[in-house]
Amino acid sequence: MEGTERIQELTGRYPVLVPIAGAIKEAYHVLEACYAGGGKLLAAGNGGSCADSEHIVGELMKGFCKARPVPPAFEEALLAADPERGGELAAKLQGGLAAIALTGHPALSSAYLNDVDGLLVLAQQVYGYGKAGDVFLGISTSGNAKNILYALAVAKAKGMKTIGLTGRDGGELGKAADVAIIVPEQETYKIQELHLPIYHTLCLMLEDRFF
């Protein structure tokens, strides 16, 4: 399915998203360019948005709706590397789009929180993992989560593209991100309910493009 058709399907199911269809498409193009250039996605959020960042990584790093078999050349490399296990690996490994949720590293995060500053835990990880050509996706229903804004500033300094997924009036994140997807809801749970189909659509579009 073409990217435009994916977005039309999304807005058909969620008409409230029609006004931000352009922003969703723009975010897709940022992510497409990132992956075409060999980059990766760094995603982060708090609370439910933390879970969303992990969810996104799960959809990108393995098959979502399509089979993603390893290329024949890599299958040969696996068999050469380990004739006993190579066949099983080739049959079971799935193509991934590199993505890291900055929320699942408790030893690093707790050490930095204890030794330095808890609000900069995400920023420290962007500084360590990020490079020009990567994308930082910050998820905040209010758009004003301080740790997300610190991380976004580091991403910009690194030469990364930034996407904000938010709601209400977009907050500071909506103003600072290169692309802001601001869902037209006010209550946190309603914003989160719309974030999920948006990032599912982005993941589907990326899978269509690269697999």
Side-chain angles (χ1 to χ4, degrees):
M1 187 180 291
E2 294 292 329
T4 301
E5 293 174 341
R6 290 289 190 192
I7 293 177
Q8 288 175 344
E9 180 187 39
L10 171 68
T11 56
R13 290 186 291 123
Y14 300 92
V16 70
L17 298 178
V18 169
I20 62 170
I24 296 169
K25 186 175 183 180
E26 189 177 357
Y28 164 72
H29 286 308
V30 168
L31 291 165
E32 180 191 33
C34 164
Y35 285 121
K40 63 183 174 294
L41 173 68
L42 304 180
N46 300 295
S49 299
C50 167
D52 285 330
S53 67
E54 294 279 1
H55 190 161
I56 291 165
V57 170
E59 309 297 21
L60 292 174
M61 283 289 291
K62 58 174 285 297
F64 183 18
C65 288
K66 289 185 175 182
R68 301 183 187 180
V70 301
F74 191 68
E75 180 176 1
E76 292 178 7
L78 285 168
L79 290 168
D82 189 331
E84 180 182 347
R85 300 171 184 85
E88 180 183 4
L89 285 165
K92 294 181 179 179
L93 288 178
Q94 301 176 358
L97 294 170
I100 301 171
L102 306 180
T103 52
H105 309 102
L108 168 61
S109 297
S110 58
Y112 194 85
L113 182 153
N114 186 62
D115 299 341
V116 188
D117 186 340
L119 281 176
L120 271 62
V121 164
L122 301 177
Q124 175 64 30
Q125 291 183 75
V126 172
Y127 185 58
Y129 290 128
K131 61 178 178 59
D134 291 344
V135 172
F136 173 70
L137 170 61
I139 310 173
S140 168
T141 57
S142 68
N144 294 315
K146 291 181 180 180
N147 56 350
I148 297 296
L149 294 168
Y150 281 126
L152 186 135
V154 175
K156 286 191 165 187
K158 279 273 189 172
M160 298 166 61
K161 290 292 186 180
T162 60
I163 299 171
L165 184 57
T166 181
R168 299 175 190 164
D169 64 356
E172 293 185 54
L173 180 61
K175 298 172 186 173
D178 294 314
V179 180
I181 302 174
I182 306 170
V183 303
E185 287 290 355
Q186 299 297 315
E187 295 184 73
T188 297
Y189 77 93
K190 291 181 179 179
I191 296 167
Q192 291 171 335
E193 286 174 355
L194 291 174
H195 280 179
L196 187 147
I198 290 170
Y199 66 69
H200 267 174
T201 296
L202 290 171
C203 291
L204 284 167
M205 293 167 72
L206 290 166
E207 187 171 66
D208 289 340
R209 164 66 174 82
F210 291 100
F211 301 99

